[in-house]
Amino acid sequence: HHLDIFGDKIKAKAAADEAKVPGIPGTNGAVDIDGALEFAKTYGYPVMIKAALGGGGRGMRVARNDAEMHDGYARAKSEAIGAFGSGEIYVEKYIENPKHIEVQVIGDQHGNVIHLFERDCSFQRRHQKMIEEAPCHILKKDVRQHLFEDALKACRHVGYNSVGTIEFLLDKHGNYYFMEMNTRIQVEHPITEMICGV
């Protein structure tokens, strides 16, 4: 059930919305090229074109105008069909130069969910994380607290009972947005073990 919700980025965004966790403005589910252009007209460029079942930086394109939208949409779709067997595409506002913050969470079958603090994984190449550090030194104390609370809120909303990582984007104004969840132990788990001893 949790894999079904959080493994699909469109369903994951919907679950976060229901839990009142701030998300990046995006299309309400998958859209065709006309829906994508309509979204850009409303929210303005730049936008990020994403495959619903994407991951590992594949099926993603940034568009800064209509021509790039047409090209990026077609490329993301064919890449997604080839890599993930699904051409479902959604579009969201592109946050320029964000910090990429992830919160490690653990839940049990009794409804208890805890966090094991955050990791800053902004140092990336082709959307793949290269270096991570903890804690994130630019996070203000109150923002950090809200971030943790929202991560836990999303987990409680679906009754999450495993280990997982909730990923947020933090913009230059200190606003953060739910991006996605990894419903498993990530390769970065030793960082959490080092800072928490768990």
Side-chain angles (χ1 to χ4, degrees), residues 50-127:
K50 286 184 165 184
L53 299 180
R58 289 179 299 177
M60 288 166 68
R61 291 285 185 285
V62 175
R64 297 180 184 279
N65 53 50
D66 284 359
E68 286 184 8
M69 177 72 97
H70 280 282
D71 180 56
Y73 187 96
R75 284 170 187 262
K77 192 179 178 81
S78 69
E79 208 173 282
I81 290 168
F84 312 110
S86 164
E88 279 207 319
I89 298 291
Y90 70 103
V91 179
E92 61 187 27
K93 187 81 182 120
Y94 180 54
I95 312 294
E96 299 268 20
N97 299 319
K99 279 283 187 192
H100 192 130
I101 314 288
E102 46 188 43
V103 179
Q104 180 73 57
V105 293
I106 305 180
D108 68 15
Q109 65 269 42
H110 306 293
N112 302 303
V113 192
I114 62 166
H115 70 79
L116 296 176
F117 304 95
E118 88 283 3
R119 304 186 286 253
D120 180 351
C121 42
S122 308
F123 190 89
Q124 300 185 8
R125 182 166 172 268
R126 295 190 187 143
H127 304 292

Side-chain angles (χ1 to χ4, degrees), residues 6 41 50 142 147-148 162 190:
F6 285 118
K41 207 160 115 183
K50 286 184 165 184
D142 59 329
L147 193 74
F148 293 156
S162 181

Side-chain angles (χ1 to χ4, degrees), residues 5-17 27-31 50-53 88-90:
I5 293 172
F6 285 118
D8 181 321
K9 293 182 183 176
I10 290 173
K11 288 182 186 171
K13 279 172 74 71
D17 280 351
T27 57
N28 192 9
V31 286
K50 286 184 165 184
L53 299 180
E88 279 207 319
I89 298 291
Y90 70 103

Side-chain angles (χ1 to χ4, degrees), residues 184-198:
R184 55 186 160 77
I185 277 203
Q186 285 179 289
V187 292
E188 308 93 314
H189 70 88
I191 298 167
T192 297
E193 291 164 17
M194 287 169 78
I195 62 170
C196 293
V198 175

Side-chain angles (χ1 to χ4, degrees), residues 146-181:
H146 287 306
L147 193 74
F148 293 156
E149 282 161 21
D150 278 338
L152 297 179
K153 206 173 6 171
C155 292
R156 285 193 201 103
H157 181 70
V158 298
Y160 193 72
N161 65 345
S162 181
V163 292
T165 303
I166 297 204
E167 302 193 8
F168 294 94
L169 292 182
L170 178 78
D171 71 16
K172 60 185 177 201
H173 309 294
N175 303 309
Y176 60 84
Y177 308 91
F178 170 85
M179 190 174 63
E180 63 185 5
M181 181 174 194

